[in-house]
Amino acid sequence: MFAPIAALALAAASAPAVSAWGGVGHWTVGYVAMNFLDDNAKAVVADLLKPTETLAYVSVWADIVRNTAAFSFTSGYHFVNPVDSPPAKCDYDDDRDCKTSACIVGAIGNYTARATCNNGLPKQDRYEALKFLVHFIGDIAQPLHACGRERGGNDRVITFDGNSNVKLHAIWDTNIPEKYLKAQGLFVSGNDGASAKNYADHLMAKINGEYKDKLAGWLSNKGVYAVNQNRNSLAAIDWATDSNDFNCNTVWPAVDKDTTQDFGGKYYTDAAPVVNIQIAKAGYRLGNWINRVFARCASAPSSTTTVAPVVAPTTTTVAPVVIDATTTVDPLLDHDHCRACCDRRHYHRRPCWSHDHCRACCDRRHYHCRSRCCSHHDRRACCDRRHYHCRSRRWSHDHCRACCDRRHYHCRPVLEPRPLSRLL
């Protein structure tokens, strides 16, 4: 996250000041990105978002929901903690730093595949994936979101403009960009939305001016669906490496040189240009990324799905699911596919299963990896054991069998949560 936001509003110009929920920086990233969307991407974004929403408006959603039970599993997706030693050495190593894919570079790969068209997912899932992407592509440009030292600066308390109880991470999120906006006459007191719009216009002038020759270097030449053996986005790895470098040349050297300084002085002067360019990068990257992700949606129908009532058994045809640019699988997956699905964190947890729980669930065939499920025979067995959940409803056993026959269900425990040992 870049900065606590004091407002969530339907329109940026009228955003009222309330408690902190996200970031002026994130809103700014969304506004900048909107300048670079092509016509196709604009249409797909408009179809996925609600009528009152924009990329700027939804940019803070991921910070809000990370504190809820349903999305608490995403809390670790906002950053990556390289095991390096800034400022002496800045070095992102994917096998060392995010081998499990449970970090921001894995999240960007995952939600990119989930946001696009023709992937078999309901429109609601694609809508949520887009909102995650908007936020995470902003987060990954913040240097301390690609830093493992002192928990990304959260454990380092410093003084900023006389306030002696400020976290280093927070001044990069909030204090530095807000001080810069005030110095430029762009800050609107009590209206973070308007401040963000002013900031975006200011950065757009830089993008069309002093940043113009740097734009090509801000993008990665990796494909939007390209992932490595860890299921991490190759482009996001490039971005994490770029952000991580600033920990050696800007973030930490002055901290170690003088820990008692007021960081609102020379430190701010040196850091403000980096904050500006990183937020501009994030917005430019996001616009380009969305264009490329939704390029395959040009002639695709809406992915809105309707759940049919359970009637007599019938045969249905299920479309294949595209996981990435090179892999296509049938949604009615076998056991090994579900294990791979778990490994990629593409599974649905109720309420939020740990990775190990999902593996154990796979072992018993009581799983549902989003729309990728076990065989029909295993589902019937699941129904027979009464450990079923049909389309968010608690069916009777007979109804579940009919539901099984139509393939409109997934089997999950829906009664009282039980220890894993009782499931095995």
Side-chain angles (χ1 to χ4, degrees):
M1 67 198 81
F2 274 109
I5 194 164
L8 269 177
L10 297 181
S14 61
V18 290
S19 59
W21 280 111
V24 170
H26 278 297
W27 278 64
T28 304
V29 169
Y31 278 129
V32 170
M34 289 162 64
N35 287 281
F36 297 103
L37 297 184
D38 59 31
D39 289 342
N40 174 67
K42 288 178 182 177
V44 178
V45 168
D47 179 60
L48 287 177
L49 299 184
K50 297 176 182 178
T52 55
E53 294 177 335
T54 64
L55 294 182
Y57 179 83
V58 302
S59 65
V60 295
W61 176 82
D63 267 343
I64 297 171
V65 300
R66 68 189 295 183
N67 296 315
T68 66
F71 292 98
S72 61
F73 69 95
T74 67
S75 61
Y77 296 173
H78 294 248
F79 56 87
V80 63
N81 289 331
V83 186
D84 54 4
S85 54
K89 182 180 180 181
C90 286
D91 173 30
Y92 176 79
D93 184 304
D94 196 64
D95 282 336
R96 178 194 66 197
D97 301 325
C98 193
K99 191 172 182 63
T100 66
S101 193
C103 75
I104 195 167
V105 296
I108 289 174
N110 177 25
Y111 289 112
T112 294
R114 295 183 64 76
T116 192
C117 300
N118 302 324
N119 61 7
L121 295 182
K123 185 175 181 180
Q124 176 65 25
D125 285 3
R126 295 179 53 230
Y127 166 61
E128 291 174 358
L130 174 60
K131 292 190 290 183
F132 276 125
L133 275 181
V134 173
H135 187 86
F136 293 149
I137 292 177
D139 271 351
I140 203 169
Q142 212 272 48
L144 286 168
H145 279 252
C147 176
R149 178 177 171 178
E150 299 177 39
R151 295 193 312 120
N154 278 297
D155 292 338
R156 175 66 63 140
V157 178
I158 51 92
T159 298
F160 190 91
D161 283 346
N163 184 345
S164 60
N165 190 31
V166 184
K167 295 179 180 179
L168 180 66
H169 189 108
I171 71 170
W172 281 82
D173 273 354
T174 309
N175 302 74
I176 292 174
E178 284 192 358
K179 183 171 182 175
Y180 179 82
L181 289 175
K182 291 174 182 177
Q184 298 297 315
L186 303 174
F187 187 78
V188 180
S189 180
N191 194 328
D192 286 351
S195 295
K197 185 64 170 65
N198 290 342
Y199 199 4
D201 291 342
H202 180 74
L203 293 180
M204 282 301 302
K206 289 181 176 292
I207 287 172
N208 293 319
E210 64 182 282
Y211 297 163
K212 189 172 183 179
D213 294 337
K214 303 177 181 179
L215 299 182
W218 289 359
L219 302 177
S220 171
N221 62 1
K222 311 299 193 305
V224 291
Y225 303 106
V227 297
N228 64 8
Q229 71 281 1
N230 300 326
R231 308 302 301 176
N232 294 335
S233 166
L234 297 182
I237 290 172
D238 287 345
W239 301 338
T241 301
D242 173 68
S243 295
N244 176 256
D245 287 343
F246 287 102
N247 288 289
C248 279
N249 60 41
T250 306
V251 178
W252 290 102
V255 175
D256 291 345
K257 183 177 181 180
D258 182 6
T259 60
T260 64
Q261 67 176 295
D262 189 316
F263 284 71
K266 185 178 185 306
Y267 187 93
Y268 158 79
T269 302
D270 293 339
V274 175
V275 169
N276 287 339
I277 202 167
Q278 290 303 101
I279 294 177
K281 275 182 189 178
Y284 185 69
R285 288 168 177 167
L286 177 61
N288 175 270
W289 195 257
I290 290 176
N291 288 342
R292 295 165 67 194
V293 170
F294 290 153
R296 65 169 54 169
C297 302
S299 60
S302 172
S303 61
T304 305
T305 60
T306 302
V307 179
V310 175
V311 293
T314 186
T315 301
T316 59
T317 300
V318 184
V321 173
V322 178
I323 292 179
D324 54 40
T326 60
T327 306
T328 303
V329 298
D330 188 278
L332 301 179
L333 294 182
D334 62 21
H335 180 54
D336 289 339
H337 275 129
C338 185
R339 270 190 172 273
C341 184
C342 285
D343 289 341
R344 290 191 295 271
R345 304 315 200 254
H346 290 169
Y347 53 88
H348 188 84
R349 300 176 287 185
R350 188 176 180 89
C352 292
W353 290 41
S354 71
H355 181 53
D356 288 339
H357 281 158
C358 183
R359 274 187 170 272
C361 187
C362 286
D363 289 341
R364 297 208 62 206
R365 272 55 169 187
H366 295 168
Y367 56 85
H368 175 240
C369 292
R370 289 298 181 184
S371 61
R372 307 164 177 87
C373 303
C374 50
S375 70
H376 180 56
H377 174 75
D378 287 331
R379 292 176 175 188
R380 274 192 173 273
C382 183
C383 287
D384 289 341
R385 289 192 290 270
R386 270 63 168 186
H387 293 166
Y388 54 86
H389 177 244
C390 300
R391 287 288 189 189
S392 302
R393 286 177 285 182
R394 299 185 181 186
W395 300 82
S396 71
H397 181 54
D398 290 341
H399 281 154
C400 185
R401 274 192 170 274
C403 184
C404 285
D405 290 338
R406 300 204 63 211
R407 272 70 164 180
H408 289 165
Y409 65 94
H410 52 87
C411 298
R412 296 183 302 190
V414 296
L415 302 178
E416 293 299 320
R418 294 172 293 174
L420 186 60
S421 61
R422 292 182 59 189
L423 287 174
L424 300 178

